Amino acid sequence: MKAVITVLTEQLKHFYLLRRLSLYEIKSKNKMTYLGIAWELINPSIQIAIYWFIFGYGIRRGQEVDGDPFFQWMLSGIIVWFFFNPAILEGSKSIYQRVKMLSKMNFPMSLIPNIIIYSKFYSHIGLIILTIIILNLTGYPISIYYLQLPIYVFATYIFIFSLSLITSTLNTFIRDLQMLLQALLRMILYMTPILWATFSLPNWVQNLMKINPLYYLVEGYRYSLLGKEWYFITNWQYSLYFWSVTIILLIVGARLHVRFRRRFIDFI
């Protein structure tokens, strides 16, 4: 737990620097474009439209999912993916891409993956707001179940940060991990109830798929935004499972990072 306390303390102590560098990350990424940071919302919007057309009309032929139109059902869950996927992919290679430059600056290495995650968090909040507006205009008004949404936003951030501590550390030593991670994420997209429902599958298959913590986050967002139920209460066993996995990942990630960060520069 000492490593966890060290890493979390570093995030809080240097939060102002974290916020400034994450904003710089967004601006530098989009500085050569006319629309600038608007692309942070335009890109996922285009992908959502494509997925809706292919899966909503091409495969499901406009059929509802659990009583909800496919578009609203998909939209309320896929926003998690557009935060998780780029944050994990870019966060995992953040240390070895920046360690030479940032090793000359006086702030802890644990901030490096979090800078990437925090920069993606801005667009995630923007996408949530856009989703809420669309849902309200299409018959899903804000309900009391929105009160649980901050829980899932926080849970998503902590889960991504915990996993990124592991992948960014290991990726510094084993570059093949980045290629493996890209392949795994493509598979995870289709093993999570984002683009298709799992209701028709046998119970044992559904339970097997729930091993994936992203399943919990997607369903949590969906039940919150569509105003269905208090998901973290009615599925309290699954909530305990998710937080147990996340805490274990955080402990492992923090210990790996603290143990090897002084040697990062030697492996670049």
Side-chain angles (χ1 to χ4, degrees):
M1 288 299 293
K2 184 178 179 181
V4 174
I5 294 173
T6 298
V7 169
L8 293 181
T9 300
E10 289 171 349
Q11 310 310 305
L12 294 174
K13 184 178 179 181
H14 297 87
F15 179 74
Y16 176 72
L17 183 60
L18 169 66
R19 186 170 60 86
R20 287 191 61 185
L21 290 175
S22 62
L23 287 171
Y24 174 77
E25 184 75 22
I26 297 175
K27 293 177 181 178
S28 62
K29 179 183 176 182
N30 299 284
K31 66 180 179 180
M32 300 301 292
T33 61
Y34 287 108
L35 297 179
I37 61 174
W39 281 109
E40 297 294 318
L41 293 180
I42 295 173
N43 271 327
S45 298
I46 293 173
Q47 292 182 59
I48 288 170
I50 294 171
Y51 286 139
W52 175 39
F53 180 78
I54 294 174
F55 289 89
Y57 283 99
I59 296 178
R60 297 193 59 86
R61 300 182 183 277
Q63 295 179 358
E64 294 184 343
V65 181
D66 197 25
D68 299 304
F70 178 80
F71 176 74
Q72 287 84 344
W73 179 86
M74 180 195 70
L75 178 63
S76 58
I78 201 171
I79 56 177
V80 182
W81 178 255
F82 286 117
F83 179 29
F84 175 81
N85 185 55
I88 291 295
L89 279 178
E90 295 184 29
S92 65
K93 58 185 179 180
S94 59
I95 290 180
Y96 78 75
Q97 284 186 335
R98 296 167 175 81
V99 70
K100 285 186 177 179
M101 176 185 67
L102 298 179
S103 61
K104 301 175 183 179
M105 302 174 68
N106 188 24
F107 69 88
M109 289 285 184
S110 64
L111 253 68
I112 300 178
N114 204 13
I115 289 169
I116 301 300
I117 298 170
Y118 204 82
S119 68
K120 303 302 177 185
F121 186 64
Y122 287 110
S123 57
H124 181 59
I125 295 299
L127 201 55
I128 289 176
I129 294 172
L130 182 60
T131 298
I132 291 173
I133 293 172
I134 293 173
L135 290 176
N136 273 266
L137 293 175
T138 56
Y140 288 86
I142 295 175
S143 68
I144 192 172
Y145 298 109
Y146 271 57
L147 293 176
Q148 65 184 328
L149 186 59
I151 297 175
Y152 295 109
V153 173
F154 175 74
T156 303
Y157 196 103
I158 293 298
F159 177 66
I160 293 173
F161 177 67
S162 303
L163 193 56
S164 292
L165 281 176
I166 298 175
T167 57
S168 62
T169 300
L170 294 179
N171 217 9
T172 307
F173 313 134
I174 310 170
R175 301 297 172 78
D176 291 353
L177 180 64
Q178 185 69 21
M179 303 303 295
L180 176 62
L181 194 58
Q182 291 178 10
L184 286 175
L185 287 175
R186 294 191 195 101
M187 180 178 65
I188 289 173
L189 173 62
Y190 297 101
M191 294 185 66
T192 310
I194 296 175
L195 302 173
W196 61 288
T198 61
F199 310 128
S200 59
L201 298 176
N203 288 333
W204 70 270
V205 178
Q206 294 186 48
N207 292 331
L208 187 63
M209 293 180 69
K210 287 182 178 180
I211 294 175
N212 172 16
L214 195 61
Y215 191 113
Y216 174 81
L217 296 172
V218 169
E219 290 293 87
Y221 270 69
R222 185 169 284 144
Y223 276 75
S224 303
L225 292 169
L226 297 181
K228 288 183 172 290
E229 64 180 34
W230 301 105
Y231 188 76
F232 73 99
I233 295 177
T234 56
N235 296 271
W236 62 270
Q237 300 99 325
Y238 198 19
S239 298
L240 287 177
Y241 166 79
F242 169 82
W243 282 109
S244 298
V245 171
T246 301
I247 291 172
I248 291 172
L249 289 175
L250 180 59
I251 293 172
V252 173
R255 291 189 65 179
L256 278 173
H257 180 86
V258 171
R259 180 176 179 180
F260 290 106
R261 61 181 173 184
R262 292 184 179 179
R263 300 174 58 192
F264 285 158
I265 195 66
D266 298 330
F267 288 91
I268 303 301

